[in-house]
Amino acid sequence: MSILVTGGAGYIGSHTVVELLKEGKEVVIIDNFSNSNPQTLEKIKEITNKDFKFYEIDYLNKEKLKKVFEENKIDAVINFAGYKAVGESVKEPIKYYINNISGALVLLETMKEFGVKKFVFSSSATVYGNPEKVPLTEDSKVGGTTNPYGTTKFFIERILEDIYKSYNTWDICILRYFNPVGAHESGLIGEEPKGVPNNLMPYIVRVASGILNELSIFGNDYDTKDGTGVRDYIHVVDLAKGHIKALEKLDKEQKGLFIYNLGTGTGYSVLEMVKAFEKSTGKKVKYKIAPRRAGDIAICYADPRKAKQELGWEAKKTLEDMCRDSWNFINKKC
Ligand code: NAD
Ligand code: UDP
């Protein structure tokens, strides 16, 4: 029995495939390389010394997707495929709704046709919108999303709830990621955003390495410890391990829809991130204070206790690990 991983060549998907292979699972990856590249698959093999099946397909292509289910005995699906750039989603909402929502629906319909009923979904803390209070528990209000990307995650969560209620035979795990950063300790796989990065950590490493000139800190007048935005940064390897625990849960349970925050429970400000990066790498990060970025919120961090109690999962890696591994990855590439 295999685990089908859509978007397995991407940032979180590739780290999760490494953990799945380490656990001795059989893995089938599909990806269209719209935001990744084939070399990542070779790096996964190098890290694990294990092999897997790969199909270069668009998961919206029902006929090709059906072939994957015909040719492999799929036990469960982890769905990473999708677009994730918040700013681009505001400019191109249709592109985002089609790829993320129609793609998920084609996948879910194909799963139904083949009797595959275990599904792990990559959701996001963005479903909470602007939090009324922190830390965020899984029963905090959702739906006040501020951009089409976040709305795709919110809608898919609702679709999954309906699927669960109507068929009552599926096991579904919705994982709400906070801010994934870092890279595999080998430095072989990591985050490779195309063009100028939008996210903080990829931007910091590019400033430190001289690829970019200086970091703009978006606002220092928020109601936070030092005025800059606070987020819950989580090491991607910890996040990947959360998926193994989610699959274990679905194997054990008979029928259920489970939702978990995957975060550390600690919020760091942008200035704290810059300082932590400088301390752990010895590299200077030039920055300036810039106006707030539209759509940003002041503070967002998780209450991760539910995942600890029910999955036996908690983030182990430190902020220093996150900074060091992000730096190590970009250095190996340059
Ligand atoms: P990523 O872009 O690195 O990985 C997504 C992968 O899916 C890429 O390899 C891309 O080529 C592939 N893909 C996209 N559309 C496809 C399609 N139609 N058919 C086949 N493959 C397709 O992104 P990531 O950071 O690894 O994120 C994985 C998932 O987690 C996404 O759904 C994302 O929205 C979600 N998520 C990410 C973050 C984050 O900050 N990275 C936070 C919360 C949630
Ligand atoms: N941020 C920043 N400069 C950048 C990128 C991000 O000051 O070039 C800030 C941003 O305003 C937020 C935090 O860093 O407070 C995390 O932003 P990111 O885009 O990484 O994640 P998200 O906004 O999705 O939580």
Side-chain angles (χ1 to χ4, degrees):
M1 294 291 260
S2 300
I3 311 295
L4 176 65
V5 182
T6 76
Y11 175 44
I12 306 168
S14 58
H15 289 82
T16 303
V17 169
V18 166
E19 297 303 318
L20 287 167
L21 293 170
K22 273 166 60 183
E23 289 289 314
K25 304 277 187 209
E26 282 178 27
V27 174
V28 177
I29 297 179
I30 64 172
D31 205 300
N32 65 355
F33 299 126
S34 55
N35 196 37
S36 52
N37 61 64
Q39 292 91 296
T40 302
L41 301 177
E42 295 312 310
K43 305 284 183 199
I44 294 173
K45 290 178 194 163
E46 199 178 326
I47 292 168
T48 59
N49 216 8
K50 292 199 171 143
D51 209 352
F52 49 82
K53 270 182 116 170
F54 174 70
Y55 294 82
E56 184 175 346
I57 62 165
D58 188 323
Y59 80 151
L60 277 150
N61 187 324
K62 179 82 187 274
E63 286 316 304
K64 289 189 176 164
L65 194 59
K66 273 171 82 169
K67 216 158 170 279
V68 176
F69 281 80
E70 274 159 16
E71 290 178 3
N72 301 280
K73 198 136 184 52
I74 306 293
D75 178 41
V77 176
I78 311 182
N79 183 26
F80 293 105
Y83 296 145
K84 62 167 182 178
V86 171
E88 189 190 33
S89 80
V90 175
K91 289 191 197 119
E92 305 238 34
I94 294 175
K95 178 176 163 182
Y96 272 68
Y97 286 119
I98 288 179
N99 199 44
N100 293 8
I101 299 184
S102 307
L105 283 170
V106 170
L107 177 64
L108 289 159
E109 187 186 44
T110 312
M111 286 175 63
K112 184 169 178 286
E113 284 168 19
F114 284 82
V116 180
K117 296 174 179 178
K118 286 184 203 158
F119 190 69
V120 179
F121 176 61
S122 298
S123 191
S124 164
T126 56
V127 298
Y128 295 118
N130 197 350
E132 281 168 357
K133 63 174 176 55
V134 282
L136 284 152
T137 50
E138 287 80 354
D139 54 10
S140 302
K141 196 164 146 247
V142 292
T145 48
T146 54
N147 55 73
Y149 164 72
T151 308
T152 66
K153 295 295 174 190
F154 173 61
F155 285 170
I156 295 168
E157 286 201 5
R158 290 297 297 269
I159 289 167
L160 292 173
E161 279 165 26
D162 288 340
I163 287 175
Y164 173 67
K165 275 189 222 145
S166 298
Y167 306 141
N168 205 26
T169 52
W170 286 52
D171 291 305
I172 296 170
C173 196
I174 293 171
L175 301 176
R176 293 180 181 152
Y177 311 152
F178 280 67
N179 287 56
V181 293
H184 192 264
E185 62 181 3
S186 63
L188 291 172
I189 54 172
E191 189 171 17
E192 297 187 69
K194 291 192 171 160
V196 177
N198 294 305
N199 296 114
L200 181 63
M201 186 60 100
Y203 211 103
I204 287 179
V205 291
R206 279 160 185 76
V207 172
S209 66
I211 299 170
L212 294 170
N213 184 34
E214 71 180 347
L215 170 73
S216 291
I217 295 186
F218 299 139
N220 66 349
D221 57 352
Y222 285 106
D223 186 14
T224 59
K225 44 189 147 186
D226 57 23
T228 64
V230 169
R231 298 287 185 277
D232 186 338
Y233 298 92
I234 174 167
H235 197 294
V236 66
V237 171
D238 277 332
L239 194 64
K241 289 182 173 157
H243 295 76
I244 308 297
K245 295 290 185 186
L247 284 176
E248 280 172 14
K249 171 95 179 164
L250 298 190
D251 276 341
K252 269 189 258 157
E253 302 286 328
Q254 288 302 308
K255 292 176 249 156
L257 181 139
F258 311 96
I259 303 179
Y260 298 105
N261 284 338
L262 296 187
T264 65
T266 304
Y268 290 104
S269 73
V270 180
L271 278 171
E272 284 176 327
M273 292 300 285
V274 169
K275 286 189 191 114
F277 185 87
E278 289 182 337
K279 189 163 174 254
S280 54
T281 63
K283 288 278 155 188
K284 197 92 200 105
V285 180
K286 196 174 158 213
Y287 69 84
K288 65 170 184 203
I289 304 298
R292 290 182 179 194
R293 181 171 66 178
D296 266 0
I297 54 175
I299 305 185
C300 177
Y301 61 94
D303 179 337
R305 282 178 299 178
K306 188 176 174 211
K308 184 172 180 188
Q309 282 155 10
E310 295 187 14
L311 297 180
W313 172 91
E314 67 182 321
K316 295 267 168 58
K317 290 189 181 270
T318 62
L319 189 54
E320 197 187 343
D321 298 329
M322 301 180 208
C323 295
R324 189 203 51 233
D325 292 340
S326 298
W327 180 236
N328 186 26
F329 173 64
I330 195 151
N331 273 326
K332 270 220 158 161
K333 276 182 64 66
C334 291

